[in-house]
Amino acid sequence: LQILVTILNENDNSPVFPQPNITRDIPEDTEVDTAIVSREEVTASDADLDTIYYELTTTVQDTDGYFAIRGENNPEIYLQKALDYDKFDSTTLLLYARDRPVTSSDLTNTATATITITIKQSDTRAPWFLPCTQLHNDTSVCISSPYSGRVNISEMSPDPLLLEPGPIYAVDPDYTIRDRIVYSIVGGNTNEVFSVDADTGNLTMNKIVTSPDSFLLQVMATQVSNVRKYSVATVEIKVINKSNFPPYFEKGVYNGTVLVGLPQRSFVYQAGDPSTPLVVTAMDEDFLDV
């Protein structure tokens, strides 16, 4: 008597990842669609020889959608959306391998691999002149105001010029890199009157100014390790006559009279002369003809 025995494959084995824990360091400027973890590294095996179905999730809030797998049967992990170091610098992904589709009601065996991704800040932004104001709480853009200062005509100043809203100063906004900044004047420096210290940004005079015309300097801040990363700021220097005397009031004390109940912007009159408005006058000996 010949007996034929057929052994049926029981789904009694879970998928197995070759590496249950994977770590990756990737630069911030990694291009979209770049493979982060290869298919071979995360392809699970199954002793039951079942087809494996994959699913990728993230455990870190606000990092969903940046990474994905190529398909439910292709676990290669790739970058799906451009990274921004200022939004997050690391995340943890969970890759599930199942021997049945997600929607299946059959008994399903599952394996999990943990992928830890650390993002390294890249040199993506040009220097910022300070002080500056961020637009709409966007940390990637900071707008600075023009600098301004004054010099006296026909007078040489030996010290760095005082500017508003502060001294010329720029920083590398990629703060984990903090490349060194150098300064130079690239425009508006008629007759080479001014010079800027390459390291400090201090603006000084090379010669006296004999014309009342103002200067509109263009100062460039450049990263030392990447000359393509630069910014240009405007510095307006007004040329004025030297002031030798402070202004002074004609009187030390002014007395006035005002009636109760008058509306706003009503005149205050001189005490003792209710028909003459009170006038406070200051003088300056530098401008006797004014």
Side-chain angles (χ1 to χ4, degrees), residues 104-138:
S104 175
S105 58
D106 295 337
L107 175 66
T108 303
N109 296 309
T110 305
T112 305
T114 302
I115 299 94
T116 302
I117 295 179
T118 301
I119 301 167
K120 300 297 184 181
Q121 190 172 39
S122 300
D123 190 10
T124 59
R125 293 176 289 190
W128 288 350
F129 281 97
L130 301 182
C132 65
T133 303
Q134 293 179 353
L135 294 180
H136 312 298
N137 296 322
D138 184 355

Side-chain angles (χ1 to χ4, degrees), residues 127-129 160 167-172 178-185 195-204 219-225:
W128 288 350
F129 281 97
I168 297 173
Y169 182 60
V171 297
D172 180 1
R178 279 291 189 237
D179 198 1
R180 189 166 69 89
I181 306 296
V182 293
Y183 305 90
S184 60
I185 299 177
S195 62
V196 65
D197 188 285
D199 295 317
T200 66
N202 286 335
L203 191 66
T204 54
V219 177
M220 182 168 69
T222 309
Q223 293 181 202
V224 171
S225 64

Side-chain angles (χ1 to χ4, degrees), residues 93-243:
L93 307 176
L94 295 180
L95 180 63
Y96 298 97
R98 299 183 175 90
D99 55 11
R100 296 290 185 273
V102 176
T103 57
S104 175
S105 58
D106 295 337
L107 175 66
T108 303
N109 296 309
T110 305
T112 305
T114 302
I115 299 94
T116 302
I117 295 179
T118 301
I119 301 167
K120 300 297 184 181
Q121 190 172 39
S122 300
D123 190 10
T124 59
R125 293 176 289 190
W128 288 350
F129 281 97
L130 301 182
C132 65
T133 303
Q134 293 179 353
L135 294 180
H136 312 298
N137 296 322
D138 184 355
T139 58
S140 63
V141 180
C142 202
I143 305 299
S144 60
S145 300
Y147 296 94
S148 62
R150 299 183 299 177
V151 296
N152 295 325
I153 194 169
S154 302
E155 182 175 298
M156 182 75 173
S157 175
D159 301 318
L161 302 184
L162 296 178
L163 303 176
E164 294 291 341
I168 297 173
Y169 182 60
V171 297
D172 180 1
D174 299 312
Y175 49 87
T176 64
I177 299 174
R178 279 291 189 237
D179 198 1
R180 189 166 69 89
I181 306 296
V182 293
Y183 305 90
S184 60
I185 299 177
V186 295
N189 194 15
T190 306
N191 297 325
E192 303 297 322
V193 173
F194 302 98
S195 62
V196 65
D197 188 285
D199 295 317
T200 66
N202 286 335
L203 191 66
T204 54
M205 297 183 70
N206 297 324
K207 60 184 73 172
I208 63 173
V209 181
T210 58
S211 169
D213 297 332
S214 297
F215 291 81
L216 200 61
L217 305 176
Q218 302 295 316
V219 177
M220 182 168 69
T222 309
Q223 293 181 202
V224 171
S225 64
N226 188 351
V227 295
R228 294 185 178 182
K229 298 294 184 184
Y230 67 89
S231 295
V232 177
T234 299
V235 183
E236 182 183 15
I237 303 297
K238 294 181 179 180
V239 181
I240 62 173
N241 292 318
K242 183 178 181 180
S243 178

